[in-house]
Amino acid sequence: MITAGLRRAIGADDPQLRPGPAPGSYTSSLPFRLNPADPRPAAEGLAARLAGELWIATAEVTGPGFVTVTVTHATLARLAIRIAHAGPACATSDALAGHTVAPPRSALPISGVADWPQARAALAAELTVRLATAAGAVIDPERAQVPAPPPPSRGPVAEAVAYAGPDAVRFALARMPPGGRAPEAAVIARHVLANPAYAVRYAHAAAAAVLRWAAALGTRPAGFTPRLLAEPGELALLDALSWLPERVAVAARRGRPDEFAGYLAELAARTIDTMSTSSFRKIQDISSERLWLADAARTGLAAGLGLLGIEAPSRL
């Protein structure tokens, strides 16, 4: 959301963004791409142009030619409402508009792939297309891939799916980098927060539980006062959510869905930390603003898991 707005304001398909020094701040290295020998003039011009945006608090040149932008607190806080209202579209953007991608191979259950490297490659190809289309690319039917071979009936992946479940295996595979170590079924099946394959789904369930318990008490998200979302953990969660569409686009552009799965694991950790604070555990006293934030976290995690083809459970 915010990163997509920054990309449009900067006027580049890839604004080369990375996290800034504080929640709601973003650093662009685009001037180095525009003029590697002397990036500072380009950085100064970009900073001056961005400083004129009402939703940007500061835009300044940092280091030898970076541009660091900090959005207003209200802009960061209102992300809670924007994401909740957007639903699954909160993960979409037009970052790859004008690009085409090959259709994914015919649907193939990961349990039907012979070994872990093959399963990882097949899933990475599928997820890259999913992420790219969410970022605005279109599927070109003329670039159809060769159909996948018939699935084998047995193998280590099939055994892991039988033991840990398809969603746990799918997330572990999605998070596996090229040439990475094969997941261990006994590890990815564990219902502990140290296991990202479980923690991401647990985080969604934790945010959904806050909303469910509040609704049982007759409390629902209503008015919204941005200044009431100001706790460090709340700002860190909002900051993590602000990267959702950008992380989708970057992972698609690089053909690295494992980077997006890693981002979801970080977002889950922020969500779990925030939903565990007393401000969210005391449901009878919870503010409307925090209900909006819980809804945004639930929505963002559901959108991300949906892009990976994984169920987002409301209860675990």
Side-chain angles (χ1 to χ4, degrees):
M1 292 267 178
I2 289 176
T3 48
L6 271 175
R7 179 175 46 77
R8 288 190 293 269
I10 291 172
D13 289 341
D14 182 6
Q16 305 281 303
L17 292 176
R18 66 185 189 187
S25 65
Y26 311 85
T27 296
S28 172
S29 60
L30 182 63
F32 288 89
R33 192 175 70 185
L34 297 175
N35 189 348
D38 186 12
R40 197 165 186 87
E44 290 170 349
L46 179 58
R49 179 156 54 83
L50 293 174
E53 298 282 348
L54 294 178
W55 54 283
I56 292 177
T58 62
E60 56 188 352
V61 179
T62 53
F66 299 100
V67 175
T68 297
V69 174
T70 302
V71 301
T72 66
H73 175 267
T75 296
L76 184 61
R78 287 197 180 99
L79 197 61
I81 286 185
R82 293 177 62 195
I83 290 176
H85 282 168
C90 68
T92 64
S93 71
D94 59 356
L96 297 183
H99 293 255
T100 60
V101 291
R105 293 181 183 273
S106 57
L108 179 67
I110 56 175
S111 59
V113 181
D115 58 32
W116 289 109
Q118 289 179 341
R120 188 264 165 202
L123 185 61
E126 173 198 333
L127 295 183
T128 297
V129 174
R130 283 174 173 257
L131 296 171
T133 53
V138 296
I139 292 177
D140 180 1
E142 295 185 359
R143 296 171 59 190
Q145 302 178 20
V146 177
S153 58
R154 299 173 64 89
V157 183
E159 293 172 1
V161 169
Y163 184 83
D167 283 344
V169 173
R170 192 174 177 90
F171 187 86
L173 274 173
R175 194 165 176 264
M176 182 178 171
R181 182 178 177 181
E184 296 180 29
V187 173
I188 62 176
R190 297 179 64 198
H191 285 198
V192 294
L193 297 184
N195 171 20
Y198 172 76
V200 174
R201 291 174 292 149
Y202 175 87
H204 178 272
V210 170
L211 296 168
R212 185 172 61 250
W213 297 333
L217 293 175
T219 305
R220 299 182 182 278
F224 187 82
T225 304
R227 63 179 174 81
L228 296 183
L229 281 183
E231 294 294 326
E234 296 165 358
L235 295 177
L237 175 54
L238 285 163
D239 183 79
L241 285 165
S242 76
W243 285 94
L244 179 54
E246 185 69 12
R247 294 296 183 234
V248 170
V250 170
R253 189 180 288 115
R254 288 168 49 84
R256 293 289 303 273
D258 57 291
E259 295 179 353
F260 180 69
Y263 158 76
L264 279 187
E266 295 171 5
L267 177 58
R270 294 289 188 190
T271 300
I272 293 167
D273 287 348
T274 303
M275 297 301 115
S276 300
T277 63
S278 59
S279 298
F280 287 82
R281 288 200 308 267
K282 297 179 180 177
I283 302 297
Q284 65 274 18
D285 299 325
I286 197 168
S287 67
S288 182
E289 291 75 18
R290 291 189 171 108
L291 287 178
W292 280 114
L293 181 55
D295 201 2
R298 179 193 63 80
T299 301
L301 286 164
L305 286 168
L307 287 172
L308 297 184
I310 296 172
E311 180 187 3
S314 295
R315 289 180 170 86
L316 274 181

